[in-house]
Amino acid sequence: MTNTQVTLVQLDNYGPWTVTPSPRREVDLQTMQSRLYADLSQAFGMRDGYVFFTRFDNMIAVSNGLDLEDHARVQESIRNRYPVTVSLSIGTGASPADALVEATAALQAQGSAQDADRREALLGQPIDEETRTDDDVQIAHFDVVDATGTYTDELDAYSSFVHIEQGYAALMQHMHDAHDSLSFFVGGDNIIAVCPDLTPADYEEAIEHVRDTAGVDIRVGVGHGVSPHDAGMGAKHALEDAREHETEVEVVPEP
Amino acid sequence: MTNTQVTLVQLDNYGPWTVTPSPRREVDLQTMQSRLYADLSQAFGMRDGYVFFTRFDNMIAVSNGLDLEDHARVQESIRNRYPVTVSLSIGTGASPADALVEATAALQAQGSAQDADRREALLGQPIDEETRTDDDVQIAHFDVVDATGTYTDELDAYSSFVHIEQGYAALMQHMHDAHDSLSFFVGGDNIIAVCPDLTPADYEEAIEHVRDTAGVDIRVGVGHGVSPHDAGMGAKHALEDAREHETEVEVVPEP
Amino acid sequence: MTNTQVTLVQLDNYGPWTVTPSPRREVDLQTMQSRLYADLSQAFGMRDGYVFFTRFDNMIAVSNGLDLEDHARVQESIRNRYPVTVSLSIGTGASPADALVEATAALQAQGSAQDADRREALLGQPIDEETRTDDDVQIAHFDVVDATGTYTDELDAYSSFVHIEQGYAALMQHMHDAHDSLSFFVGGDNIIAVCPDLTPADYEEAIEHVRDTAGVDIRVGVGHGVSPHDAGMGAKHALEDAREHETEVEVVPEP
Amino acid sequence: MTNTQVTLVQLDNYGPWTVTPSPRREVDLQTMQSRLYADLSQAFGMRDGYVFFTRFDNMIAVSNGLDLEDHARVQESIRNRYPVTVSLSIGTGASPADALVEATAALQAQGSAQDADRREALLGQPIDEETRTDDDVQIAHFDVVDATGTYTDELDAYSSFVHIEQGYAALMQHMHDAHDSLSFFVGGDNIIAVCPDLTPADYEEAIEHVRDTAGVDIRVGVGHGVSPHDAGMGAKHALEDAREHETEVEVVPEP
């Protein structure tokens, strides 16, 4: 059974900061946000975790393998190098969606995202090192079938973006509502979902749903592992198989 | 009348690179993409331009104020510092959507996004410095009314994200189809749109459309300028006014 | 005659910040400093300027081509993205050394580098755009003759470093005392000097001095230009000529 | 007894790359080098290691705590995000200087720093996790007594730099020749040395040597630890004590 550890990364009191004392240059905000995300991606990644940029002021990490000390170090490193600070809240469970509900609730209980007095909260309890197993994390890596031939080389760049975005919107909502999964756009035509124990039939159903509601053809590779990196790398290889075999769903056999 | 200059930034043959010789670590791809975007944001921003990350492998810049030499320098700087290269294609016109159609078509005519032989194309013609005017660029900066109170502090982080994403999806498609505009999520609950000469009534109509179709309340500040930065900073100040006055649309008077 | 514009970049009250409330992690300080330098290098570089890291808390830029507005934008961008701020002070003159004396004195007159109340000073007057000429900047690019064969592949890494460092120390002091020049180590075995109107004989004399006092053989390419980039690129090509022709001094003819 | 693990980080065939097909823009090289260093600093730092920029094309890390897999991951991450690759060679021993001799020799045996066929070597053997002890690493953190009052606020910025540089040159050579230590300038007026088991009298002797030969007054804090971070943080606190007590040498008692 999966046991996903998610970490909610929330910038402290960020909205007010962006307009104090007057609105800050947009290009600087964009640069700061995307570099902060890049740094978190490397920091969690050094321990085999994944981070998704989500809204940039609220990022979601899959953090199986990072303990409290690792989290504290990330928090300290941001404080030492950025003009903003971050709060971190950890949730765990068989359902990624529920784990995030738990993490969010704990942080909300400490104060608002725009509470000037709530800084650098560090909440929740990571999974004990001894109880970690090879099927703790299930990752599904989706992409669009022939996105380059169908969209990028055919439509104008914004229309391509709209189509891919619509497929993504349909997928993310369905995977959340029907399958307790958290799905994230990661660039190009790629979507990575963190899932509970889903079956190939579940993925087939989701793919059909996206085809029916958004008219976008997608396929998926699914991997498992003790860490997001292990599961995600399995999913990538499975997706390569799906491309080669022109199948819709490829799953790395559970270890 | 607006005269928007857009630049399509396309990573050359990026998809194949990400899986050659085998899939690369996701955290490294995320870091590389977001830092490349951050660098473009600073480089265009030093000349008062804006860049939006869009799909990361296809980014869209509003580049009024950058000439061909500036574009070539950006291209060279990426080549010198990254393992990938970029092609740049410039389009111009009263309609941002049409300008991007022009830029995309020119690049597609040079070869596929996954053509190993098409590298560092530099296409299109910037607006002559002498013909630039104070109403060349119109920028609309939208945000969600009380996003923190309605979503961030109330729902779990993913549900907040889904709601904001849905409002964004409804807005981006409508602004494109009905108003020839290019809208981009820029983090938090913020959307920036590059528009032709739209009226306050147009914006009111768009806001109503988003409320009706996605159930999300948004408001907007609108600015004009010779450059994206000037227009965008006007829009930010107008949005501050809208927050303070609790109005839906605030427009900086045309110069 | 040269007319060099230098900018002293001083982090405001940095020393105390690094130990408040207690000493900060060294790796974070190293990361923050070197990225701040990298950003300045790009920001000045987009306008054809050069920046040298020097002591990191006090950096020296050759800023011919950047006006006050450009300086203010750099200052603002740092404030928006880093936990520290910078003061900038501009000096100009035929002698780079004197220009820096002027820039330093103006900043010292505003308060100490560790004065908590002196933040974001912006001092001095750039060269008027109309008076800029093709011989404003003279750049000399030195390297060590066969550094790889003599040191890197032969000695242990620290001994190589010590030898190159000693050559550098001898050169930087001599070029300053005898030739009013500012010399900077830029990595590998490369030293870049910003010079007044020096003759080939001056460079030969300096090279001989380094051979005599530090036992290190160096050579140099010299370029001129309206900007640091133009002069520096000329110097690089001249140095390539010197490598190929096995000469000690190669000078790009003045325009 | 100390047991220092050092890693030589050498960019593969870097010199030729910087001038192929023609010399690359200096600001881009500076940016790329300093960001690569910053990334290594974070990557090693996440595991409590230290990296020094040294010559940028040859960097030296103190890597106690990083195993071969950690090194491989750093190497892979650089390959995925930069236009250059790195070779890594590990050496260990009671003497930091000897450990680096060992690491350098192993790398040199694989080919020249400018050998196009030698890429991404990964050499040497880290210290076994079980044999690590609390006195494996000794770090000495030096700074200049009243650098701000004596130099920064009094002399022009280059003359300050020259004085500090001279103190550093005297110290680094003496600590290497007399005490088997590796000393590095880390910005401002700070020098960090990685040392074998030295006594307070050794440090007093070194400080006197620098005063006699370079006329620069320095002081030092010394720490010990299982990792560079632990030893270095101890040294920083000891240096704070030395500042407060106006002593020349403060040593954290061995654990």
Side-chain angles (χ1 to χ4, degrees), chain D residues 95-111:
Chain D
S95 152
D98 288 349
L100 184 60
V101 168
E102 174 193 325
T104 310
L107 187 55
Q108 288 166 341
Q110 296 283 314

Side-chain angles (χ1 to χ4, degrees), chain A residues 60-217:
Chain A
I60 296 170
V62 190
S63 58
N64 289 256
L66 284 94
D67 61 20
L68 272 180
E69 193 188 336
D70 295 326
H71 281 80
R73 175 157 313 170
V74 167
Q75 201 170 42
E76 177 188 354
S77 187
I78 299 300
R79 178 204 321 144
N80 282 341
R81 301 187 290 110
Y82 285 89
V84 294
T85 56
V86 296
S87 285
L88 302 173
S89 185
I90 303 166
T92 59
S95 151
D98 288 349
L100 184 59
V101 167
E102 174 193 326
T104 310
L107 187 55
Q108 287 166 341
Q110 296 284 314
S112 167
Q114 299 196 356
D115 180 339
D117 294 327
R118 198 216 66 194
R119 295 180 78 83
E120 299 198 312
L122 177 53
L123 308 169
Q125 206 53 45
I127 297 167
D128 275 344
E129 188 59 33
E130 310 84 68
T131 63
R132 297 177 64 200
T133 72
D134 277 351
D135 55 7
D136 276 357
V137 186
Q138 178 169 138
I139 295 254
H141 194 133
F142 295 86
D143 75 359
V144 175
V145 177
D146 194 20
T148 302
T150 311
Y151 302 112
T152 313
D153 289 349
E154 286 301 313
L155 304 180
D156 75 275
Y158 198 79
S159 298
S160 294
F161 176 46
V162 167
H163 277 87
I164 287 169
E165 178 79 17
Q166 282 174 331
Y168 169 44
L171 180 66
M172 71 185 275
Q173 182 153 12
H174 182 76
M175 290 293 288
H176 191 237
D177 294 351
H179 299 301
D180 270 359
S181 301
L182 307 174
S183 310
F184 304 93
F185 177 64
V186 292
D189 60 323
N190 294 264
I191 294 138
I192 291 180
V194 189
C195 309
D197 256 331
L198 299 186
T199 65
D202 293 328
Y203 290 108
E204 280 160 20
E205 183 268 344
I207 288 170
E208 195 165 341
H209 175 84
V210 171
R211 188 185 299 116
D212 290 347
T213 57
V216 177
D217 282 330

